[in-house]
Every structure is written in C-alpha cells, then in structure tokens.
Amino acid sequence: MPTTTWTHLSPERRERILVAAMDEFGTHGYSTGSLNVIARQAGVAKGSLFQYFAGKLDLFTYVAEQTSLRIFEAMRPWLDGYRPDGRGSAPDFTAYLIEAMDAWVSYFETHPLERGVTAATNMEIDPVVRQAVLEPVQHLYLAGLRPLVQEAVAAGDLSPDADVDALLSLLLLLLPHIALAPFFPAVAGPVAPTRGDEVARRNAIERLVQPVLTGFRRSPASG
C-alpha cells in the first residue's frame, strides 16, 4: 500500500507516476520493469519512489489495483445494466454477456496502458508476485460479476441450481483471455477475437461464451 507521503502528493503528480509505472510495467513486466525509467518518465527522483511505496512489488501491486479500478469503472454500465425485466438491448443473459464481452475487448483495443498492465499481471511468472497482484484484482472483479450472475439466476436466464462459483471461476479465466488474445496470437488458441474486424471479433466471443454458459442455463424441461 502507498505511504502517507503518497497521499499528500498532488493528484497531478500521482497521475504522472502512475501512468509512467503503467507504461513501464505494461511494456516490460514486473521483473524487467525499471524503477529508474519510471522515475525519469514521471519527472521524480528514484529515491522518491521509496518514500511513496515500500518497494518495487508494492508499487506494482498498486499499479495493478488502480488499473483494475479504471477498467472496472469503464465496465460498470455493463455490470449494472442487466435488466431481465425489461431485457434492454439483449433478449437474455447469454446475449447480454456476449455484448458485454464485446465491449470489454473493445475497451482494451483502445486503452494500451490498461492492456499492458493486464498482460503483465496475468503473465507474471513469479508465483509470489502473481499472487500478490492477482488476488486483489480478482476480488474486485468478483464483487462486480457475482451480483450480475445471481440476478441472471433469479430472473430464470440461468438454472436455479446453477453453480455460481463455478461460473464465476470460468469467467475469471475467460475475461483476461479474450482481452489479450488479439494482441498475443501465439497464446490465443484457434478461436480468438481479432483486431480491426468487429464482425470476426463478435463471432469469436460468441463461440467462446456459448460453451461456457451451456451447463448453467435453465433446461427447456424445467420451464
């Protein structure tokens, strides 16, 4: 966690440091990310970073959390916008989730800093570092996704005995995959959203989402 010295900085100074850290860690990852580069890009002394954070891992964890908060706020309309009574723009939860995933991928296409940090946190090879950064990130995403899935169960779009925790676990695997797949084709697999082709991207998302939800939908026999 940042120190009290960090909280006393001006918002503009904190933003400069945060953006510089997002850029460096998002480009080079945690292990090879340079505090010297971050300090230089932010226009501060390297020693100042240790007045703001306990160390490199503390800074990286903070960057991951703040990046996730930015992404979360951008996706909040989709987390809060499911209206099973009025249906809104989608006929059911499956269609709604596909639209939300499409918006998710579109966000990462236009936000390279957030995309880079997401890649750095999900692809970090050091298990201690990966655990430190992913645990708070997943906690945040679960806080947004759980009410959405529970509402779909209550509305009858998902089975009343659907294993909510299992579905949430699958979504936590799928979200970073489809966010990063257009930019890391070597690890994307045969079905991957592509850059610059909205139709192909939507088709790939649908092909990935449909099988994930298959075991959680209400069966026709159950009404």
Side-chain angles (χ1 to χ4, degrees):
M1 295 295 293
T3 66
T4 54
T5 304
W6 171 261
T7 62
H8 292 153
L9 295 178
S10 68
E12 294 78 13
R13 191 176 182 88
R14 291 199 303 266
E15 180 68 9
R16 285 202 310 271
I17 296 171
L18 177 59
V19 168
M22 289 173 68
D23 186 27
E24 179 64 9
F25 286 134
T27 302
H28 299 288
Y30 172 77
S31 298
T32 58
S34 170
L35 294 182
N36 287 324
V37 171
I38 293 172
R40 184 169 63 250
Q41 290 183 345
V44 300
K46 180 182 178 181
S48 297
L49 296 179
F50 294 101
Q51 295 178 359
Y52 308 146
F53 299 92
K56 184 178 180 180
L57 179 56
D58 195 35
L59 173 58
F60 186 47
T61 302
Y62 178 78
V63 168
E65 290 176 342
Q66 292 301 306
T67 300
S68 296
L69 286 170
R70 293 185 179 203
I71 298 169
F72 186 86
E73 285 304 312
M75 294 304 297
R76 184 180 291 278
W78 287 100
L79 294 171
D80 297 341
Y82 174 60
R83 296 291 181 266
D85 50 349
R87 293 302 181 192
S89 61
D92 57 24
F93 180 71
T94 300
Y96 187 85
L97 186 60
I98 291 170
E99 289 187 3
M101 291 282 190
D102 192 46
W104 168 263
V105 177
S106 179
Y107 174 86
F108 281 96
E109 286 185 345
T110 56
H111 291 77
L113 288 177
E114 288 79 359
R115 182 175 70 237
V117 174
T118 299
T121 54
N122 282 273
M123 298 180 181
E124 171 57 45
I125 60 174
D126 186 320
V128 175
V129 176
R130 186 171 62 247
Q131 178 70 17
V133 296
L134 282 182
E135 186 172 4
V137 168
Q138 291 195 349
H139 179 77
L140 176 65
Y141 285 176
L142 283 174
L145 289 170
R146 186 178 294 277
L148 179 64
V149 172
Q150 289 175 334
E151 189 172 4
V153 172
D157 279 347
L158 297 177
S159 172
D161 59 353
D163 188 336
V164 170
D165 285 340
L167 178 53
L168 289 171
S169 296
L170 291 172
L171 292 177
L172 286 178
L173 292 172
L174 183 59
L175 283 168
H177 173 79
I178 67 169
L180 301 175
F183 308 93
F184 299 92
V187 297
V191 179
T194 55
R195 299 175 64 180
D197 188 335
E198 294 183 5
V199 174
R201 182 184 72 193
R202 178 63 173 258
N203 179 62
I205 292 171
E206 185 171 353
R207 291 175 65 190
L208 292 169
V209 169
Q210 289 280 7
V212 168
L213 292 182
T214 295
F216 300 95
R217 296 191 187 100
R218 178 188 290 271
S219 65
S222 63

